[in-house]
C-alpha cells in the first residue's frame, strides 16, 4: 500500500492509496475506485480494495475532495445542480485515472473504473474526457434512472435523511411514474 497524491483538473490535491498484489512480479491490470454518495474516504472502501487486490488487480482508492486527507471543499448535492456536482466528482475520478498508468507496477492498457451507486453517473462522465479511454467499467448497484428522477424520488421519500413527503409505496411509485420535471443527467 503506497500513499499517493495527485491534482484534479482544478488543482485540488487529492490523497489516495495505491494497493498492489504482493505476489505479482509483472505489471497488473488496475482500477480506480470511485465512491458512491456522501463524504467518503478511501478507508470506507477497504473491503472492496482487499477483494480486488486478492483477485490480482492494482487499486487506487482516494478520499473525495474536502474529505479525509484530500484538500478542497466537498461538493454538496443538496441545493446544488446535481450535474455540476457530478462533473466535479468526475474530474476528480479522471485525475485519479490519469495518475494510475504512471505507476510502474500497473499495466496501462488494462486500466478501468470500479464503483457503486452514484459512481454509475460519475464514471461515464469521467470516461468521456479520457484519452486513452478506460478499458472497462465495473458498476455495482448503478443508477437506472436520471439524476432528475432520483432527486424527485429522494424528495418524496426523504432519502433516509429527512422527513418523507409520502410513505405509501404505491403512491410513491405512481408519483415517480408521472414525473415530468427536468431529467438531468
Amino acid at each position: 500500500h503506497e500513499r499517493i497524491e495527485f491534482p484534479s483538473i482544478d488543482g485540488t490535491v487529492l490523497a489516495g492509496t495505491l494497493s498492489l498484489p504482493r505476489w505479482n512480479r509483472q505489471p497488473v491490470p488496475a482500477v480506480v475506485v470511485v465512491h458512491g454518495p456522501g463524504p467518503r474516504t478511501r478507508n470506507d472502501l477497504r473491503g472492496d480494495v482487499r477483494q480486488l487486490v486478492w483477485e490480482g488487480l492494482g487499486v487506487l482508492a482516494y478520499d473525495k475532495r474536502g474529505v479525509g486527507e484530500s484538500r478542497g471543499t466537498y461538493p454538496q448535492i443538496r441545493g446544488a445542480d446535481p450535474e455540476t456536482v457530478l462533473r466535479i466528482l468526475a474530474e476528480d475520478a479522471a485525475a485519479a485515472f490519469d495518475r494510475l498508468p504512471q505507476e510502474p507496477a500497473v499495466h496501462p492498457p488494462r486500466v478501468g473504473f470500479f464503483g457503486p451507486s452514484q459512481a454509475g453517473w460519475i464514471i461515464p462522465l469521467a470516461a468521456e474526457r479520457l484519452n486513452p479511454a478506460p478499458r472497462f467499467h465495473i458498476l455495482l448497484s448503478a443508477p437506472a434512472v436520471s439524476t432528475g428522477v432520483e432527486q424527485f424520488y429522494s424528495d418524496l421519500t426523504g432519502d433516509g435523511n429527512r422527513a418523507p413527503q409520502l410513505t405509501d409505496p404505491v403512491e410513491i411509485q405512481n408519483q415517480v411514474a408521472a414525473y415530468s420535471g427536468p431529467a438531468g443527467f
Side-chain angles (χ1 to χ4, degrees):
H1 304 284
E2 175 188 351
R3 185 184 184 285
I4 61 174
E5 290 186 339
F6 54 93
S8 188
I9 301 304
D10 66 359
T12 300
V13 176
L14 304 174
T17 300
L18 176 64
S19 300
L20 297 163
R22 286 180 276 170
W23 57 88
N24 279 346
R25 299 292 175 240
Q26 303 212 12
V28 296
V31 296
V32 170
V33 178
V34 179
H35 294 277
R40 303 279 184 219
T41 69
R42 60 196 142 172
N43 291 332
D44 296 325
L45 305 166
R46 277 184 293 200
D48 290 329
V49 169
R50 194 173 297 132
Q51 182 65 37
L52 291 164
V53 170
W54 186 83
E55 296 287 344
L57 297 169
V59 179
L60 173 53
Y62 60 96
D63 299 338
K64 276 188 174 179
R65 65 174 46 227
V67 181
E69 295 179 31
S70 287
R71 296 185 204 126
T73 302
Y74 175 73
Q76 299 288 336
I77 286 190
R78 188 77 40 220
D81 172 38
E83 187 168 336
T84 299
V85 172
L86 292 173
R87 288 199 181 277
I88 291 168
L89 297 173
E91 292 294 342
D92 293 349
F97 185 90
D98 283 341
R99 174 65 171 82
L100 199 49
Q102 297 173 27
E103 292 296 324
V106 170
H107 189 231
R110 300 181 342 187
V111 176
F113 283 112
F114 173 96
S117 187
Q118 184 186 59
W121 288 314
I122 296 168
I123 289 171
L125 288 171
E128 75 182 14
R129 71 157 291 281
L130 291 166
N131 186 14
R135 182 73 183 262
F136 59 90
H137 308 319
I138 302 169
L139 305 175
L140 308 171
S141 302
V145 298
S146 70
T147 56
V149 173
E150 192 285 325
Q151 186 63 55
F152 181 69
Y153 174 84
S154 291
D155 290 343
L156 288 176
T157 64
D159 202 22
N161 299 316
R162 57 195 182 287
Q165 295 176 19
L166 295 172
T167 56
D168 178 27
V170 173
E171 182 58 27
I172 292 169
Q173 185 176 9
N174 289 340
Q175 291 278 333
V176 170
Y179 177 72
S180 62
F185 176 72

